[in-house]
Amino acid sequence: MAIQTKPISTEEFERMAEAGLLSKQYREELIRGIIVKKMTPNPPHATCVTRLQYMFILRFGSATATVRVQNPIRIPPNSMPEPDIALLKWRADLYEGMHPSAEEVLLLIEVSDITLDNDRNVKAPLYAEGGIPEYWIVNIQEEVVEVYSDLAEGSYSSVHRVGRGETLTLPQGLSGIVAVDDILG
């Protein structure tokens, strides 16, 4: 007799976390109903995430955007990824008592070193299907930022790479530009 499994929902995942049923050793995220162990960040990854965090907090301060670092985003019906950086629509309560949904996202960023294939082939389609308007992958190995934008029928119709010496325009709902050199250090 075969064992049947079914994907779990975001609600079931949250209840498991609240009950302490998830690993205490590893960070986990829910991707398409499957609990996935997250990689432990290496120093270049951690430094880049911290650099982005400081950059956006200093840029947006308060009442412009909420900056969240490695925290869940709810993407129905059964995903709760933890992007490295999420720029969200401003809320004075900072999303207290709830994880933000895809509708609140202005920009998601994954810093990628050894997870590049997953960030391109698993996360990008998931974010597009969830309606995330723009997604950046900071590709540490190649020193570029890959920009996924222009949602069309659940996928990004535009993907371009921006390298050192170039700038990125922040998506709608945010203002300004960001130098790739400031992201990569």
Side-chain angles (χ1 to χ4, degrees):
M1 174 180 217
I3 297 174
Q4 283 191 314
T5 61
K6 75 168 190 73
I8 64 172
S9 69
T10 54
E11 293 79 12
E12 290 167 320
F13 184 71
E14 287 179 316
R15 285 195 303 270
M16 289 172 69
E18 289 168 9
L21 298 175
L22 299 178
S23 172
K24 295 191 184 350
Q25 291 179 308
Y26 306 108
R27 291 185 44 229
E28 297 160 326
E29 59 188 349
L30 184 66
I31 305 296
R32 300 189 188 281
I34 306 298
I35 298 172
V36 178
K37 177 184 157 198
K38 292 191 67 162
M39 299 292 295
T40 299
N42 62 23
H45 179 281
T47 300
C48 187
V49 170
T50 301
R51 190 178 295 116
L52 285 161
Q53 176 184 9
Y54 285 150
M55 178 189 323
F56 288 127
I57 288 173
L58 290 172
R59 176 173 294 238
F60 298 123
S62 64
T64 302
T66 299
V67 180
R68 290 186 62 141
V69 178
Q70 298 173 338
N71 283 300
I73 302 293
R74 293 174 60 94
I75 299 179
N78 58 1
S79 293
M80 287 185 67
E82 292 185 6
D84 289 314
I85 299 288
L87 299 179
L88 307 169
K89 294 175 184 174
W90 172 253
R91 282 183 47 156
D93 70 351
L94 304 175
Y95 296 89
E96 185 176 355
M98 64 176 284
H99 293 300
S101 65
E103 293 80 28
E104 279 103 21
V105 174
L106 301 169
L107 172 65
L108 291 184
I109 303 172
E110 294 283 3
V111 175
S112 192
D113 190 354
I114 57 176
T115 61
L116 188 57
D117 185 59
N118 185 66
D119 292 336
R120 285 178 178 154
N121 300 313
V122 175
K123 296 272 182 97
L126 175 68
Y127 294 155
E129 291 165 20
I132 305 300
E134 192 160 314
Y135 168 52
W136 295 358
I137 297 175
V138 178
N139 180 336
I140 293 175
Q141 293 177 2
E142 298 176 35
E143 296 192 321
V144 297
V145 177
E146 300 176 13
V147 178
Y148 295 74
S149 60
D150 300 323
L151 276 175
E153 298 180 20
S155 65
Y156 295 113
S157 62
S158 174
V159 179
H160 65 278
R161 296 162 52 95
V162 183
R164 286 194 175 277
E166 297 180 277
T167 59
L168 297 156
T169 301
L170 291 167
Q172 187 174 7
L174 302 167
S175 63
I177 60 171
V178 175
V180 173
D181 290 340
D182 290 343
I183 294 171
L184 295 171

